[in-house]
């Protein structure tokens, strides 16, 4: 009897024999009870389908194993009839499960850990692999649609609006806010704009409408991760998934620890306070407990910009994503900006196509006003498309309403020389002119 492939999470163990019948035995909701290891067992095969629905099972009781083996032999045939040796297989399952449970997480010598060279991101820079990621913003910021576009990039393994995944993975979208029809329409619209056949995502992008708190669903989600080979989970949204007061530190910690235990990247969507939504100067933080900020590893603040004339183009909006926090790697200072285009269908209520077009954030006056001085200088040089003196740059910044002086501009140019800026002309007796390093090349 061959040894099964085993997948272990905190309280869900899955054992899989690929040959000869594709047998999968799942032990779920494992826990210690009066000195025994108990949980629920379910069994399925590629040929017979589900042959044992989830049923209470004592892993340490030989009588329970023999009883289940006899039941399975009645359903599929035993070794005497050319079927499977269920008794031997269940003995393997129970021995492996007990060894894993009593061993617990292994102690690791950090000095002996060799670097893997594995990339940090599943989708750079928005989804850090094997970590909780958060996109937070006001209710009209297009967070769900953008997250679905990221999910499509992962599930398809293709470039979608400039969003590329490290590798193709199955995605599970957990939804507490909308319904399958809403997300299915958005999915078709994203695929139409990206010229991607939506049928290519069958079995790769899976959806579940949820109503209970996420902590109560942890065992079921672990089981789905193992059985469906899930490589990314989207949680929409954190406030509803919390299942209680958003300010609750206990609920938020339990939620974030549950996500960490899944060992796959999680993209969570969260909201902001009314002050953050209306006051551009307010410090952007997710709504509720500080532990969303503290335990999230990669956080982005998403905003929808107001249009000067909303009637001018009712089918497009501009959204920005500002990097707020990351625990591994540098914080990206300059925001990402996208023009979101909604193409209506046969009726105004229908959506035919939905696209995200990356645009230069430094062409948006509101963003330039709040940018770092080096980015403001880059925006001026880019807009003028020629080399400028320090005085020229200061004058252009003042026209844009940016308070600057020759000392600060000159200091910034010298600091980022050969990184962002280059001296274009500095002939003896002439005033030094500066340009963008990319233009100089």
């Amino acid at each position: 009897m061959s040894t099964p492939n085993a997948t272990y999470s905190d309280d869900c163990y899955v054992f899989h024999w690929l040959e000869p019948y594709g047998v999968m035995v799942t032990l779920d909701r494992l826990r210690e009870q009066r000195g025994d290891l108990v949980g629920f067992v379910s069994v399925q095969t590629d040929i017979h389908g589900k042959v044992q629905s989830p049923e209470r099972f004592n892993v340490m009781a030989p009588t329970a194993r023999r009883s289940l083996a006899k039941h399975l032999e009645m359903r599929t045939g035993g070794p005497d009839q050319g079927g499977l040796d269920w008794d031997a297989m269940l003995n393997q399952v129970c021995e492996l499960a007990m060894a894993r449970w009593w061993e617990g997480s292994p102690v690791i010598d950090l000095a002996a850990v060799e670097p893997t060279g594995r990339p940090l991101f599943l989708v750079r820079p928005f989804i850090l692999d094997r970590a909780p990621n958060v996109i937070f913003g006001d209710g009209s910021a297009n967070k769900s649609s953008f997250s679905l576009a990221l999910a499509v990039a992962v599930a398809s393994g293709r470039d979608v609006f400039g969003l590329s995944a490290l590798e193709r993975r199955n995605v599970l979208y957990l939804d507490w806010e909308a319904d399958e029809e809403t997300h299915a329409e958005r999915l078709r619209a994203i695929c139409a704009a990206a010229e991607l056949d939506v049928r290519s995502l069958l079995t790769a992008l899976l959806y579940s409408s949820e109503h209970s708190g996420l902590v109560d669903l942890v065992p079921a989600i672990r089981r789905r991760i193992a059985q469906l080979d899930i490589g990314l989970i989207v949680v929409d949204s954190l406030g509803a998934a919390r299942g209680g007061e958003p300010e609750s530190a206990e609920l938020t910690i339990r939620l974030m620890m549950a996500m960490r235990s899944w060992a796959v990247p999680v993209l969570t969507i969260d909201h902001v306070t009314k002050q953050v939504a209306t006051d551009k100067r307010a410090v952007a933080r997710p709504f509720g407990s500080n532990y969303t900020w503290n335990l999230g590893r990669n956080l982005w603040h998403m905003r929808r910009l107001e249009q000067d004339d909303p009637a001018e183009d009712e089918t497009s909006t501009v959204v920005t994503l500002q990097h707020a926090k990351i625990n591994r790697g540098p914080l990206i200072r300059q925001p990402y900006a996208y023009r979101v285009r909604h193409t209506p269908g046969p009726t105004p209520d229908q959506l035919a196509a939905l696209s995200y077009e990356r645009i230069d954030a430094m062409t948006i006056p509101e963003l330039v006003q709040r940018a770092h001085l080096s980015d403001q200088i880059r925006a001026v040089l880019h807009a003028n498309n020629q080399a400028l003196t320090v005085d020229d740059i200061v004058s252009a910044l003042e026209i844009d309403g940016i308070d600057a002086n020759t000392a600060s501009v000159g200091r910034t140019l010298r600091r980022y020389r050969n990184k962002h800026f280059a001296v274009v002309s500095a002939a003896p007796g002439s005033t030094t002119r500066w340009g963008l390093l990319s233009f100089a090349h």
Side-chain angles (χ1 to χ4, degrees), residues 31 35-36 59 94 97 154 189-190 217 246 287 319 350 357 421:
R31 66 192 185 282
D36 289 332
V59 178
C94 293
V154 173
I190 289 170
L217 300 171
F287 181 63
V319 297
Q350 294 177 311
E357 176 192 357
F421 310 115

Side-chain angles (χ1 to χ4, degrees), residues 53-84:
S53 299
E55 184 177 81
R56 291 183 182 275
F57 184 68
N58 188 337
V59 178
M60 301 178 67
T63 54
R65 300 180 211 173
R66 288 194 293 269
S67 176
L68 178 57
K70 289 181 180 179
H71 169 74
L72 295 173
E73 287 179 5
M74 291 176 60
R75 296 289 304 273
T76 67
D80 295 340
Q81 295 84 36
L84 295 168

Side-chain angles (χ1 to χ4, degrees), residues 127 146-156 169 171 173 205 232 234:
I127 303 180
F146 185 73
S147 297
L148 187 58
L150 287 166
V152 171
V154 173
S156 67
R169 296 184 187 176
V171 180
Y173 197 111
L205 207 169
L232 169 66
V234 181

Side-chain angles (χ1 to χ4, degrees), residues 339-355:
R339 183 171 298 281
V340 189
R341 298 190 184 278
H342 300 77
T343 304
T347 68
D349 294 335
Q350 294 177 311
L351 184 62
L354 173 61
S355 66

